[in-house]
């Protein structure tokens, strides 16, 4: 172990997962600007029957200049709350629901649902909960105690036999196991799918995300499990001031937003 909170090399050689960046600079917060509006409201577009957001008298648009219109009023209200919650400056990194909606509406990389589904399925191979340490014994025991019950639930829920590994590279998941899990993802509507995608990318875990969307775990519990190795390291070496607390809050917020996207669009 090292005092800087870095993950073991084994975790850094995972295959790149090809996840989409949230559209509008939502991952890095690459732009901020002074809040330029006073009032936020939701309106219904008579022509499409969808719901949009007004910033004062201006209709909100996506980065590609489409009208920001979603088919679910609760989803529009939640996105509007994000805009209304900006104090002083507009900080895109705090607006996860708006980001997800923009990504879905604009699809800036012209990605297909089939391609994205396959990319999510690939997470199962190097899933956070499967990639285990072989030492020290205290970390091994911690992983077994906290992660094994979720893997056991996943195996029972989907009728598969996914196991943990300690090798440098992840073993291949049998095609039969992927074929059993894929219908769960494919049956989601496009809005739920986008929320699920965000959850998987945030946790680096298909298993945890399935547990969250099936009601087996809440966002806070999932975030704690996804950060198990970081929790162990900070327990040994202490936290890096500000960094670990901010990372934890951001992970929990992303999982919560992804789940909300699912629950509000059923």
């Amino acid at each position: 172990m090292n005092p800087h909170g870095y993950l073991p090399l084994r975790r850094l050689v995972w295959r790149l997962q090809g996840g989409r960046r949230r559209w509008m600079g939502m991952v890095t917060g690459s732009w901020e600007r002074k809040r330029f509006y006073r009032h936020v409201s939701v309106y219904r577009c008579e022509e499409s029957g969808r719901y949009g957001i007004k910033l004062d008298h201006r209709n909100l648009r996506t980065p590609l200049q489409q009208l920001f219109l979603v088919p679910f009023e609760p989803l529009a209200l939640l996105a509007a709350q994000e805009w209304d919650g900006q104090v002083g400056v507009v900080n895109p990194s705090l607006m996860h629901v708006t980001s997800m909606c923009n990504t879905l509406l604009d699809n800036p990389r012209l990605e297909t649902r089939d391609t994205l589904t396959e990319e999510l399925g690939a997470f199962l191979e190097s899933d956070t909960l499967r990639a285990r340490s072989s030492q020290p014994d205290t970390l091994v025991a911690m992983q077994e105690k906290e992660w094994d019950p979720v893997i056991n639930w996943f195996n029972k829920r989907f009728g598969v036999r996914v196991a943990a590994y300690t090798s440098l590279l992840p073993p291949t998941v049998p095609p039969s196991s992927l074929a059993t899990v894929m219908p769960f993802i494919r049956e989601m509507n496009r809005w739920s799918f986008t929320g699920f995608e965000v959850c998987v990318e945030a946790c680096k875990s298909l298993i945890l995300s399935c547990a969250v969307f099936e009601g087996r775990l809440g966002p806070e519990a999932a975030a704690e499990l996804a950060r198990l190795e970081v929790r162990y390291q900070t327990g040994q070496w202490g936290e890096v001031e500000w960094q670990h607390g901010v990372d934890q809050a951001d992970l929990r917020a992303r999982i919560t937003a992804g789940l909300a996207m699912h629950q509000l669009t059923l």
Side-chain angles (χ1 to χ4, degrees), residues 136-156:
D137 292 343
T138 48
L139 175 57
V140 172
M142 188 176 178
Q143 291 174 333
E144 291 176 350
K145 178 182 178 182
E146 297 192 30
W147 285 352
D148 281 0
V150 186
I151 288 183
N152 292 338
W153 168 86
F154 181 84
N155 286 337
K156 183 177 180 180

Side-chain angles (χ1 to χ4, degrees), residues 227 230 234 239-252:
R227 296 180 66 257
V230 175
T234 56
E239 293 190 353
V240 176
E241 189 174 3
W242 294 105
Q243 178 185 340
H244 287 114
V246 171
D247 290 346
Q248 178 182 7
D250 182 68
L251 175 59
R252 186 168 56 243

Side-chain angles (χ1 to χ4, degrees), residues 134-203:
S134 57
Q135 59 178 339
D137 292 343
T138 48
L139 175 57
V140 172
M142 188 176 178
Q143 291 174 333
E144 291 176 350
K145 178 182 178 182
E146 297 192 30
W147 285 352
D148 281 0
V150 186
I151 288 183
N152 292 338
W153 168 86
F154 181 84
N155 286 337
K156 183 177 180 180
R157 165 65 178 81
F158 292 101
V160 296
R161 298 185 64 180
V162 173
Y165 64 89
T166 57
S167 56
L168 183 64
L169 297 176
T172 301
V173 175
S176 58
S177 295
L178 280 176
T180 303
V181 178
M182 286 299 98
F184 173 77
I185 301 175
R186 291 193 177 99
E187 290 170 3
M188 296 178 185
N189 67 49
R190 60 198 295 252
W191 301 88
S192 290
F193 178 86
T194 299
F196 186 74
E197 181 190 9
V198 166
C199 190
V200 173
E201 291 175 0
C203 296

